[in-house]
Amino acid sequence: MKRKKFLALALAGVMTAATLTACAPLEDLYDWFFGGGSSSASRGNGTGLDESETLENGIIQWFGLPRANRQKDEAEPMLQEVAKSFDPESWHYNNGNLNGELNDTAKAALDTIAKDKLTETHLYKRTAVDVWEVQPSQTDFDFSENRWLYYDWLERGGVHSDTPTHSSSWEPYSRLKSSIQSTDAFDLYAGTFQKNGKTYAAMVMIRWSNS
């Protein structure tokens, strides 16, 4: 009997809070109070991708990027889609010197993501993407310059068209590192996520020219 009275009083308090603040639906407050587990109260992004500032700082340092040139663009939503679509069974080479690098199956998937998520917000937009397996606590970025990553060029169409065009290729880290100093600005988003019980790190780096 005492428990019923307590629950009634508690629910009444929740209803009062909802009435006074009008900041959340009653059913969400009820689930929050009684442990119903409403998904709308979650702060997750739906993909399990957690941004890693440690990883981002390592990438910026490795490439020698001027931090003052970092701006917001479309790297985060693109990486969210990459993590969502990633298939560890088919996206990576698993033999020889290419072990762990993205393959043509990944390239086809990333082409679709790039066309869907990237827009012509800047002139001569360049986007680099990579995904690799790590240990759960490993967030350092120390890659071989010989490793290849996905690279997308987004620019206006030809002389008779303003339609944006995408051209994708593979780019070695060494070549990207040597040309990146001429970048006017960049957007970087990197983090870790889990698939099939393993931890993966991923990054999307977008560079553009303002002229």
Side-chain angles (χ1 to χ4, degrees):
M1 188 65 181
K2 289 183 178 180
R3 174 169 175 159
K4 289 182 179 180
K5 287 183 178 180
F6 171 78
L7 292 176
L9 289 171
L11 183 56
V14 172
M15 293 175 67
T16 300
T19 302
L20 292 175
T21 63
C23 62
L26 178 59
E27 59 269 23
D28 286 352
L29 288 172
Y30 185 94
D31 286 340
W32 170 81
F33 191 88
F34 291 107
S38 172
S39 59
S40 63
S42 173
R43 294 181 180 272
N45 52 46
T47 64
L49 176 68
D50 294 321
E51 182 180 16
S52 171
E53 292 185 2
T54 301
L55 182 58
E56 290 173 348
N57 289 335
I59 294 171
I60 291 172
Q61 182 177 0
W62 193 91
F63 280 105
L65 288 164
R67 293 178 184 272
N69 291 351
R70 187 176 184 181
Q71 300 177 21
K72 188 77 171 179
D73 192 68
E74 297 173 324
E76 180 178 355
M78 184 173 180
L79 191 60
Q80 298 287 2
E81 188 62 32
V82 170
K84 179 181 176 182
S85 304
F86 175 69
D87 179 9
E89 299 299 323
S90 64
W91 277 37
H92 281 150
Y93 287 109
N94 294 306
N95 62 296
N97 294 332
L98 297 177
N99 185 40
E101 292 187 6
L102 297 175
N103 58 25
D104 288 340
T105 299
K107 184 175 182 291
L110 291 172
D111 282 346
T112 300
I113 294 172
K115 290 176 182 178
D116 179 56
K117 294 297 180 182
L118 297 177
T119 59
E120 196 182 14
T121 53
H122 304 283
L123 192 62
Y124 305 121
K125 200 170 187 177
R126 308 290 183 252
T127 303
V129 183
D130 202 1
V131 184
W132 61 96
E133 184 181 347
V134 298
Q135 297 300 318
S137 60
Q138 179 185 345
T139 54
D140 294 334
F141 185 82
D142 185 21
F143 270 359
S144 166
E145 294 190 351
N146 295 324
R147 181 181 173 90
W148 293 72
L149 73 168
Y150 173 86
Y151 202 64
D152 176 79
W153 295 52
L154 173 60
E155 54 193 338
R156 291 193 180 98
V159 177
H160 303 292
S161 174
D162 286 332
T163 303
T165 60
H166 290 266
S167 301
S168 63
S169 63
W170 298 112
E171 188 85 0
Y173 274 85
S174 58
R175 187 181 303 164
L176 183 58
K177 187 175 185 178
S178 65
S179 64
I180 211 167
Q181 302 303 320
S182 61
T183 299
D184 288 344
F186 72 95
D187 181 21
L188 172 67
Y189 195 81
T192 58
F193 63 97
Q194 296 211 353
K195 282 286 180 77
N196 298 349
K198 294 184 178 181
T199 302
Y200 296 88
M203 75 163 186
V204 167
M205 180 169 56
I206 303 174
R207 304 155 50 222
W208 61 85
S209 170
N210 292 324
S211 58

